[in-house]
């Protein structure tokens, strides 16, 4: 039978997700629950498609359209995710999915089609100057915290973790409390000058990945001071949305938190790869991950543009946002939490 392209329906989701789990090039962000999260949290239309022959899925392509007044119109694989693009086990399936994406771009009259590639830009697609980098490295844990810490994190970070434990008596809990996480995260991103995601988004992520997420929260004298939402995929742990209160830095809470994520994931779930996620070059997060002993890998985001369209620059490195970021840092937290969610729809 001929190769066919289908739009994702609920009945095909289990087969799609089984394909993703079994295909090394696929990532956590290719899983189907992201489609519902993106639709319900942000109101964006999703266009998930798969290539099939004789009832077998040979390739998948998650796509969503971000269309906002402030930040323009794009079709991306996938917004709010680090990695994306078509994944296939046959070249014919990959090319068919690419052709489908280009046809959809033309039909919808979207100026920009974006793939978020980990390894290399697709042939014939326009790249961009290096901006986003990901940070990943193997971890090896045996349950001996002293030896494990020495094997997996640099000396300076080990000292910070020990200080957090011995001097500040920090502890951690692991559960699914996304509301507690959101309160801490909202304060953290406001202090960085960024709008916050809606609380509903975090709740939907927890519902969408019930067995593949947890929240690690750091406590000082019983009070939460830092927290991070982690995803678990195959043998990987992906700390994704995290932050700390004003007190966290002086308590070494962030270093302790990420060690706890690493320790728990390795010992409790058997994780062997720590994916620290993407950061922009020249940012504090970029430097922090380097200091943790990670080597950056460039992400090859690539584009197909309609005539006259340009690669989007909706990121804090864009000079036109400098004054906005400075002003946002001074907003009362309640005001930032009210104004942030509508804005962040276009910043995926």
């Amino acid at each position: 039978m001929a190769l066919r392209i289908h739009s994702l329906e609920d009945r095909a989701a289990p087969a799609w997700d089984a394909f993703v789990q079994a295909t090394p090039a696929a990532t956590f962000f290719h899983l189907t629950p992201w489609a519902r999260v993106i639709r319900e949290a942000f109101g964006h239309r999703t266009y998930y498609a798969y290539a099939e022959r004789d009832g077998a899925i040979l390739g998948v392509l998650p796509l969503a359209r971000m269309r906002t007044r402030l930040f323009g119109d794009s079709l991306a694989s996938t917004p709010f995710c680090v990695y994306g693009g078509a994944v296939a086990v046959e070249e014919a399936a990959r090319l068919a999915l690419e052709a489908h994406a280009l046809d959809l771009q033309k039909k919808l009259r979207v100026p920009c089609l974006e793939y978020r590639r980990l390894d290399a830009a697709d042939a014939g697609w326009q790249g961009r100057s290096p901006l986003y980098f990901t940070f990943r490295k193997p971890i090896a844990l045996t349950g001996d915290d002293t030896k494990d810490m020495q094997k997996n994190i640099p000396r300076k970070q080990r000292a910070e973790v020990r200080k957090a434990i011995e001097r500040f008596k920090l502890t951690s809990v692991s559960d699914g409390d996304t509301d507690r996480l959101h309160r801490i995260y909202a304060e953290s991103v406001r202090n960085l000058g960024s709008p916050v995601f809606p609380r509903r988004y975090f709740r939907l992520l927890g519902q969408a990945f019930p067995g593949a997420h947890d929240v690690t929260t750091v406590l000082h004298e019983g009070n939460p001071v830092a927290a991070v939402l982690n995803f678990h995929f195959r043998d990987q742990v992906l700390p994704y949305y995290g932050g700390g209160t004003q007190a966290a830095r002086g308590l070494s809470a962030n270093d302790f938190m990420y060690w706890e994520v690493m320790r728990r994931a390795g010992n409790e779930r058997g994780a062997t790869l720590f994916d620290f996620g993407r950061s922009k070059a020249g940012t504090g997060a970029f430097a922090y991950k380097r200091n943790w002993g990670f080597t950056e890998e460039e992400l090859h985001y690539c584009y197909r543009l309609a005539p006259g369209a340009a690669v989007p620059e909706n990121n804090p490195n864009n000079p036109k946002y400098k004054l906005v970021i400075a002003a946002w840092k001074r907003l009362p937290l309640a005001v930032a939490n009210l104004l942030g969610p509508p804005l962040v729809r276009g910043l995926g």
Side-chain angles (χ1 to χ4, degrees):
M1 292 180 64
L3 185 71
R4 296 181 179 180
I5 302 297
H6 302 277
S7 296
L8 177 66
E9 298 177 353
D10 288 346
R11 60 183 176 83
W16 174 308
D17 290 334
F19 173 87
V20 169
Q21 291 284 357
T23 305
T27 73
F28 177 76
F29 305 102
H30 286 87
L31 293 170
T32 60
W34 281 100
R36 181 171 65 85
V37 171
I38 291 169
R39 290 195 304 268
E40 294 187 12
F42 303 105
H44 296 315
R45 292 280 306 271
T46 57
Y47 301 88
Y48 278 44
Y50 63 94
E52 168 268 332
R53 183 189 297 119
D54 295 335
I57 292 180
L58 302 177
V60 299
L61 174 60
L63 284 167
R65 185 181 188 181
M66 289 194 302
R67 190 180 188 184
T68 66
R69 290 183 179 180
L70 283 177
F71 301 108
D73 189 4
S74 65
L75 189 63
S77 183
T78 310
F80 309 101
C81 297
V82 176
Y83 316 126
V87 174
V89 293
E90 289 186 5
E91 180 67 4
R94 186 192 68 80
L95 292 173
L97 288 167
E98 179 181 288
H100 171 80
L102 294 170
D103 287 344
L104 184 61
Q105 178 189 18
K106 184 176 181 180
K107 177 182 176 181
L108 298 176
R109 298 182 180 179
V110 177
C112 175
L113 171 64
E114 176 186 65
Y115 277 7
R116 300 185 172 186
R117 288 304 200 187
L118 173 61
D119 296 321
D122 289 53
W125 290 55
Q126 179 176 331
R128 67 175 308 148
S129 56
L131 176 63
Y132 293 110
F133 294 80
T134 192
F135 295 78
R136 303 178 300 162
K137 75 171 184 178
I139 54 175
L141 298 165
T142 63
D144 184 331
D145 288 359
T146 301
K147 292 181 179 179
D148 286 345
M149 198 185 301
Q150 186 171 352
K151 287 188 298 183
N152 289 285
I153 60 177
R155 181 175 61 182
K156 182 178 179 181
Q157 276 59 47
R158 296 199 300 271
E160 293 297 319
V161 173
R162 285 194 293 269
K163 182 167 64 174
I165 297 171
E166 297 168 6
R167 179 177 174 186
F168 299 121
K169 310 300 181 185
L170 299 189
T171 59
S172 76
V173 295
S174 177
D175 55 29
D177 194 341
T178 58
D179 283 357
R180 181 175 57 197
L181 162 70
H182 189 270
R183 290 193 295 272
I184 296 169
Y185 181 78
E187 178 181 339
S188 180
V189 297
R190 188 281 311 270
N191 294 341
L192 294 172
S194 298
V196 68
F197 288 110
R199 183 180 288 106
R200 175 173 168 76
Y201 175 47
F202 283 20
R203 290 176 178 173
L204 286 168
L205 284 170
Q207 294 165 11
F209 301 103
H213 90 284
D214 61 45
V215 177
T216 301
T217 304
V218 175
L219 305 174
H220 177 242
E221 298 179 349
N223 298 311
V225 293
V228 60
L229 172 63
N230 312 297
F231 297 125
H232 302 274
F233 177 69
R234 300 189 192 125
D235 62 344
Q236 306 165 26
V237 57
L238 301 88
Y240 206 60
Y241 292 118
T245 64
Q246 290 280 15
R249 186 170 184 178
L251 295 169
S252 303
N254 289 324
D255 288 303
F256 174 66
M257 177 175 70
Y258 288 117
W259 165 245
E260 285 293 277
V261 171
M262 188 179 292
R263 181 185 66 82
R264 288 177 179 272
N267 291 331
E268 298 171 11
R269 292 181 178 255
T272 59
L273 182 74
F274 192 93
D275 187 329
F276 225 154
R278 78 176 186 181
S279 291
K280 301 175 191 72
T283 64
F286 182 98
Y288 182 82
K289 292 172 185 179
R290 268 187 167 180
N291 290 340
W292 258 72
F294 289 74
T295 300
E296 68 273 16
E297 303 172 63
E298 182 184 347
L299 292 174
H300 301 276
Y301 289 12
C302 54
Y303 305 85
R304 295 296 289 264
L305 303 173
V311 172
E313 293 293 346
N314 299 330
N315 67 81
N317 289 2
N318 189 329
K320 75 177 183 179
Y321 297 132
K322 185 176 181 180
L323 294 178
V324 176
I325 292 171
W328 199 273
K329 292 179 180 180
R330 296 193 294 270
L331 287 177
L333 185 57
V335 176
N337 286 349
L338 179 65
L339 298 179
L343 290 175
V344 82
R345 290 183 66 248
L347 293 175

